[in-house]
Amino acid sequence: MNTSTSLRVRLPALVLVLQVVIITLYALFVTYDDNADAKMQNNETNPMENSVYRDYPFFADVQVMIFIGFGCLLAFFRFYGFSGMVFNFLTATFTIQWAILVQGFFQFYYDGKIHLGVINLVNAEFACAVILISFGAVLGKTSPVQLLFMAILEVPFFAVTEWAVLKYLRINDAGGSILIHLFACYFGLGVTFVLYRPVLNKGHAKEITSYHSDILSVMGTLFLWVFWPSFNSALTIKGDDQHRAILHTFIGLSSSTITAFALSALFNKRGKLTMADIQNVTLAGGVTVGASVDMMISPVAAYVLGIMGCTACFFGYRYLSPFLAQNMRIQDQCGIHNLHGLTGLISSTAGICAILLANEETYGPSMYQIFSHRAPPLGDPKLLELQKLIPGLKPGLGRSAEEQAMYQLAAIASTIAAATIGGLITGWVMRLPFMASPPDGDCFDDELFFDLPPDAGTTVLSDTKIFDEKLKMNSV
């Protein structure tokens, strides 16, 4: 192995430093929340009312998506299966640890401690999903050291953006179309723009799939597909809001799936199905319903959104990704701009339309609970009337539907801007010489960072020769 990419010192040293920092910060600032603290239990406490029974099922479902769904999905390259799954495992594990601290900082600012419970783990998993989506843009072209630094920097950028948007713009985004999918997409595109490799536009001999790697990747898709309703509904208001979120997500995924099969066969010159479409495009509906997933949009609207998201995603893979690579220095390896960017924009637009159409005739008094910022402010007589109908309703800002829609637009623009700037800065850091960045010729190859078993020697010599010839031609 080339010493410039050896992990023998770099990775252990980085992990040691990170663990010392995390142990120190956890010891100083992290404690249990009321539902995990033994001191809060007494003879009047009902154990079955503990929040773990409400939140843990969603935590477990999202964890399956993070570690199995994303892991298998990213193992689609023929010679990069170890790296796709294991780097996902490494990055996700660290990111959740780090996100607990970074997201908890705002709690610490007000309370002096970070109170840890299952719901904090769920929030950290959402931050982890952001990093893993961004990872897709640079898949096969980065070292584990680079990916850890990407997580170190992206989590704070994400946490600050999330805090600022939710605190000052006060938006509706139950499924994370703006704060998860759009942020992750444009952060990843910013990183890959800085890490641009001209040689890869000519193709790479190992940038190929195989029968077995495609099957593994589709297994990841299936895990993501099955558990996506939990992802979209985990942080919604318990009750009918969460119920609608599950229904809309399933309907959106279902319609995008059958549409993906139809488009794949229609646009294949031989009338056959393409595995890349099944692996990615089928998931588009889960993103497209995200911004309005808990609203009264109607089942048919969720179905149409699934079709729209699938169509945009399909044509994005077919035409937009090659254009971005050739003309804008954006080598989006997994097509995150199609699955998360385009669909996120459609979802955000649909959310704005749903906000503009929302009225008391459709929602009843609960409209001011779902759209909490439209609730009357403190001191308004209407607030007292609504609190009689919905006990515990908190004062809002008294926004009109049009005002809330403008704040949604501002959130989209500011999220994309913050993510892009953060991605560019992070990409610049990841280019530093000590990051063990893979040479062009060793991209998409497990052998660079792994001791492979004997039966892994399936590299086709002709593929290597073809790539060597391309390198020679490009250097002339």
Side-chain angles (χ1 to χ4, degrees), residues 30 32 59 65 92 96 154 206 242 268 297 301 387 420 476:
V30 179
Y32 300 112
F59 165 73
M65 296 178 70
I96 294 173
E154 186 169 3
K206 294 181 180 178
Q242 196 166 59
N268 185 295
I297 59 174
Q387 287 176 332
T420 303
V476 174

Side-chain angles (χ1 to χ4, degrees), residues 177-195:
S177 291
I178 299 172
L179 287 171
I180 293 177
H181 297 287
L182 286 182
F183 184 94
C185 170
Y186 288 98
F187 191 100
L189 297 187
V191 172
T192 196
F193 177 85
V194 177
L195 299 183

Side-chain angles (χ1 to χ4, degrees), residues 103-116 120:
Q103 290 179 316
F105 169 80
F106 302 104
Q107 182 184 25
F108 167 78
Y109 180 78
Y110 294 106
D111 199 19
K113 281 288 184 180
I114 298 172
H115 296 281
L116 181 62
N120 304 86

Side-chain angles (χ1 to χ4, degrees), residues 21 83 349:
V21 170
S83 301
T349 304

Side-chain angles (χ1 to χ4, degrees), residues 290-348:
S292 56
V293 74
D294 60 336
M295 303 177 192
M296 292 281 289
I297 59 174
S298 80
V300 69
Y303 198 96
V304 172
L305 283 172
I307 294 174
M308 292 173 62
C310 170
T311 305
C313 184
F314 177 84
F315 288 109
Y317 274 104
R318 195 173 182 88
Y319 301 111
L320 185 57
S321 289
F323 175 84
L324 293 177
Q326 295 293 334
N327 299 284
M328 300 187 68
R329 295 170 53 92
I330 296 176
Q331 295 166 331
D332 181 6
Q333 213 59 53
C334 291
I336 64 171
H337 188 248
N338 310 311
L339 182 55
H340 301 277
L342 296 178
T343 52
L345 291 171
I346 293 172
S347 179
S348 302

Side-chain angles (χ1 to χ4, degrees), residues 381-432:
K382 187 175 181 180
L383 178 63
L384 297 177
E385 296 176 12
L386 290 170
Q387 287 176 332
K388 293 177 183 178
L389 299 171
I390 306 177
L393 178 67
K394 296 180 180 179
L397 301 174
R399 289 178 181 171
S400 67
E402 292 75 15
E403 288 173 333
Q404 186 61 41
M406 293 304 297
Y407 279 99
Q408 298 285 134
L409 282 173
I412 294 169
S414 57
T415 298
I416 292 175
T420 303
I421 293 170
L424 294 173
I425 294 171
T426 301
W428 178 82
V429 173
M430 291 169 66
R431 289 189 63 178
L432 296 176

Side-chain angles (χ1 to χ4, degrees), residues 66-119:
I66 293 295
F67 290 98
I68 302 178
F70 277 107
C72 292
L73 183 65
L74 296 177
F76 63 93
F77 282 128
R78 179 177 181 179
F79 304 112
Y80 205 71
F82 276 22
S83 301
M85 295 192 73
V86 173
F87 292 170
N88 179 88
F89 191 14
L90 170 66
T91 306
T93 305
F94 166 72
T95 299
I96 294 173
Q97 299 172 14
W98 181 230
I100 290 170
L101 288 167
V102 176
Q103 290 179 316
F105 169 80
F106 302 104
Q107 182 184 25
F108 167 78
Y109 180 78
Y110 294 106
D111 199 19
K113 281 288 184 180
I114 298 172
H115 296 281
L116 181 62
V118 174
I119 193 63

